[in-house]
Amino acid sequence: MKKFIFKILVLLLISSCGFKVVNQSSLINFSISKITMVGDKRINYNLKNKILSTIKDTNNRTINLIVNTKKEKTIKDKNIKNEIIKYQIKVSAIVKIKDKNYSNIKPINIEQIGNFDVANQYSQTLNNEKNLIKTLSESLANELIDEIIRRMNDL
């Protein structure tokens, strides 16, 4: 019985890896002076608001962002009567980072894909599409912020 307890105790002590959650705000060592948006207006609005609310203008190092967004809506499913019952939306963004000190920063390519159902009423279908675009653009913004922070800390 003592050996069993000893093995469990040793296992618990060895398995703690020391993982520490990184505070993302401490990694931001830059500020954004200008964001140029091209593409879908709704996606651009959500992206810009999310980026500017996350990255504060408190640092001396400034960068410019050029964001090109694109939305593709395709038919996902049809029923037996050849009526559309589901759409697929693919939201993609190509982001170029302009920095005075570094000229060889590769563009960031990010995309998100989601599906929404066609409702009985057209207005409900439009609401489903708007909600999906908002969700996809928020996840796109989070992924974009993480990638910008990673690339700027690598430089």
Side-chain angles (χ1 to χ4, degrees), residues 93-108:
I94 300 172
V95 180
K96 296 178 184 173
I97 303 172
K98 300 288 185 181
D99 190 4
K100 291 184 236 176
N101 302 332
Y102 302 99
S103 61
N104 295 348
I105 302 174
K106 291 183 181 179
I108 301 170

Side-chain angles (χ1 to χ4, degrees), residues 50-65:
K50 183 75 173 179
I51 291 170
L52 291 177
S53 67
T54 303
I55 299 174
K56 306 294 182 201
D57 294 333
T58 58
N59 298 304
N60 294 334
R61 184 177 175 193
T62 60
I63 61 171
N64 295 333
L65 296 179

Side-chain angles (χ1 to χ4, degrees), residues 6-143:
F6 180 73
K7 287 180 182 179
I8 290 178
L9 185 62
V10 169
L11 181 67
L12 288 175
L13 291 175
I14 292 175
S15 67
S16 57
C17 63
F19 177 76
K20 191 176 185 183
V21 177
V22 176
N23 185 3
Q24 207 176 37
S25 62
S26 67
L27 294 176
I28 300 173
N29 59 356
F30 60 92
S31 62
I32 298 175
S33 62
K34 183 178 178 185
I35 299 178
T36 305
M37 307 294 264
V38 178
D40 190 75
K41 291 180 182 179
R42 183 175 291 137
I43 297 168
N44 289 342
Y45 179 77
N46 290 333
L47 278 176
K48 189 173 185 178
N49 285 340
K50 183 75 173 179
I51 291 170
L52 291 177
S53 67
T54 303
I55 299 174
K56 306 294 182 201
D57 294 333
T58 58
N59 298 304
N60 294 334
R61 184 177 175 193
T62 60
I63 61 171
N64 295 333
L65 296 179
I66 301 170
V67 181
N68 187 0
T69 58
K70 188 175 166 183
K71 177 183 82 168
E72 295 177 16
K73 181 178 172 183
T74 58
I75 298 170
K76 176 80 173 170
D77 287 331
K78 289 185 177 184
N79 62 9
I80 296 173
K81 297 177 185 176
N82 206 22
E83 296 172 340
I84 300 169
I85 57 172
K86 194 177 280 192
Y87 284 103
Q88 180 180 41
I89 293 184
K90 176 180 164 184
V91 177
S92 59
I94 300 172
V95 180
K96 296 178 184 173
I97 303 172
K98 300 288 185 181
D99 190 4
K100 291 184 236 176
N101 302 332
Y102 302 99
S103 61
N104 295 348
I105 302 174
K106 291 183 181 179
I108 301 170
N109 295 324
I110 299 174
E111 65 181 34
Q112 296 287 326
I113 298 174
N115 301 322
F116 72 94
D117 294 327
V118 175
N120 292 333
Q121 296 178 342
Y122 181 68
S123 61
Q124 186 60 40
T125 303
L126 289 179
N127 285 337
N128 291 346
E129 183 178 359
K130 285 180 186 179
N131 291 336
L132 179 63
I133 290 173
K134 184 175 180 181
T135 304
L136 291 176
S137 61
E138 285 179 5
S139 63
L140 192 74
N142 289 333
E143 192 174 338

